[in-house]
Amino acid sequence: MTRKLMTTLGLALGPVTLLLVDVIFTQTSPGEVFNGIFELVRATGVVAWPVGALIGHWYGPPRTGPLVRGPLNYVILIGGSLLAMGLSLFFLNVPVASHIVSTIALFAGAVIGALFWTIDEPRAMRADKGRPANIR
Amino acid sequence: MEHIEKWDRLSIAAASLPVAGALAVGIFAEFFLRSSGGAALLAGLASLLIVALIVLDVPAAIDAIEGNTFSELLRIGGRQMAVFPWTIGIFAGRWFHPFDGLDPFGAQGHVALIVVTFVVVVGSHLIRRHDHVLPSWIIVAVGLLAGALLWPVG
């Protein structure tokens, strides 16, 4: 799987997926089919946490490795995420939860993703601190 | 050389697919959402695409080529073009903004978002072109703020 092939596949599938997910997440008219999903998105961390973790994973500040080495890292990342997402379900029917729960989950997930789900960057990129990388 | 040109042509064709896909979603999504069957079709398609993206990433993660997973490409791409972290920040800010009913700019916010997007994408390119450091997480953070204020859901 060359980088060009993966880039092509990502460009072909990624944006359409994002738009479809947006259509599904944002249907708010009364009686719409996806209203339940909208509540889940806004009032719990079930969606916000993994999205935050992915943002931290992809765009977190450069690190040479996860905060904790070894299997404990995955225990914290996966176990902590499942626990946080599960506990956030208790907010599903709390009226004021949709004001803030998903925002908190997004930022908490981003911090966890940046610290415990680091990307092992190719050697050519490791010295780079935000400049365009010259990788072919 | 012939091989490279073939890939370039394929890349251009693939890059035009999101435009066609976006048009299709924009035109037909409302129609599909009127019935539970149509909504299920949309949800199924979205799930299928997400699964396809994950499945496609597996062979890239285990092969010998460095930097070819979607995560690595998004990270590298974020350093080359602000549009990737910016888009992700915008959508995350839109979906997970605080305070229900937040919409300080109304319809004008959508126009402002287009202008801000242009300024950020072009401005970050110019900043980086002159060898200044602009980490992707800053672009995501500004995108979150812009998505929450200019294009909030609900």
Side-chain angles (χ1 to χ4, degrees):
Chain A
M1 303 286 267
T2 63
R3 284 190 198 124
K4 270 200 167 176
L5 175 61
M6 290 298 285
T7 304
T8 303
L9 291 170
L11 282 174
L13 300 179
V16 180
T17 308
L18 193 63
L19 282 170
L20 272 174
V21 168
D22 183 65
V23 166
I24 290 167
F25 280 179
T26 58
Q27 291 307 303
T28 55
S29 305
E32 288 283 2
V33 178
F34 293 124
N35 275 3
I37 293 179
F38 182 72
E39 287 303 313
L40 199 70
V41 169
R42 293 285 301 155
T44 74
V46 170
V47 179
W49 183 283
V51 170
L54 281 170
I55 287 175
H57 173 57
W58 291 332
Y59 298 120
R63 289 183 61 85
T64 50
L67 195 63
V68 180
R69 303 279 176 177
L72 185 61
N73 180 64
Y74 298 101
V75 172
I76 294 171
L77 175 66
I78 298 169
S81 295
L82 288 175
L83 185 68
M85 288 158 64
L87 287 175
S88 75
L89 284 172
F90 287 110
F91 291 104
L92 193 56
N93 293 318
V94 178
V96 295
S98 57
H99 284 294
I100 196 69
V101 170
S102 64
T103 311
I104 293 172
L106 178 77
F107 282 98
V111 171
I112 294 295
L115 293 177
F116 296 97
W117 194 13
T118 55
I119 292 178
D120 188 19
E121 295 182 35
R123 261 177 243 107
M125 281 186 63
R126 282 184 192 147
D128 181 71
K129 301 269 186 215
R131 299 182 186 93
N134 293 318
I135 290 180
R136 293 183 194 285
Chain B
M1 182 63 96
E2 194 176 307
H3 180 68
I4 291 170
E5 282 173 0
K6 178 184 150 198
W7 272 118
D8 285 345
R9 280 199 297 274
L10 190 61
S11 296
I12 291 165
S16 65
L17 279 178
V19 180
L23 276 173
V25 170
I27 293 167
F28 297 113
E30 200 175 330
F31 169 75
F32 279 112
L33 288 169
R34 284 179 195 158
S35 66
S36 55
L41 186 70
L42 277 187
L45 184 60
S47 305
L48 187 72
L49 287 169
I50 290 168
V51 170
L53 285 167
I54 294 168
V55 168
L56 284 167
D57 217 21
V58 173
I62 57 178
D63 67 14
I65 300 171
E66 274 194 333
N68 64 336
T69 64
F70 288 132
S71 290
E72 290 163 323
L73 290 168
L74 277 167
R75 196 170 174 89
I76 296 166
R79 292 179 178 176
Q80 294 170 330
M81 285 182 287
V83 72
F84 297 114
W86 177 254
T87 304
I88 288 163
I90 288 285
F91 276 94
R94 165 172 162 76
W95 296 333
F96 309 119
H97 63 82
F99 311 118
D100 289 347
L102 177 80
D103 195 11
F105 300 101
Q108 291 171 335
H110 302 172
V111 180
L113 182 62
I114 294 169
V115 176
V116 173
T117 297
F118 179 78
V119 170
V120 168
V121 172
V122 175
S124 61
H125 177 73
L126 292 174
I127 288 170
R128 286 170 166 174
R129 197 175 159 194
H130 290 90
D131 214 27
H132 294 294
V133 174
L134 182 61
S136 296
W137 66 264
I138 290 180
I139 298 170
V140 174
V142 179
L144 285 170
L145 195 64
L149 292 175
L150 303 176
W151 195 32
V153 68

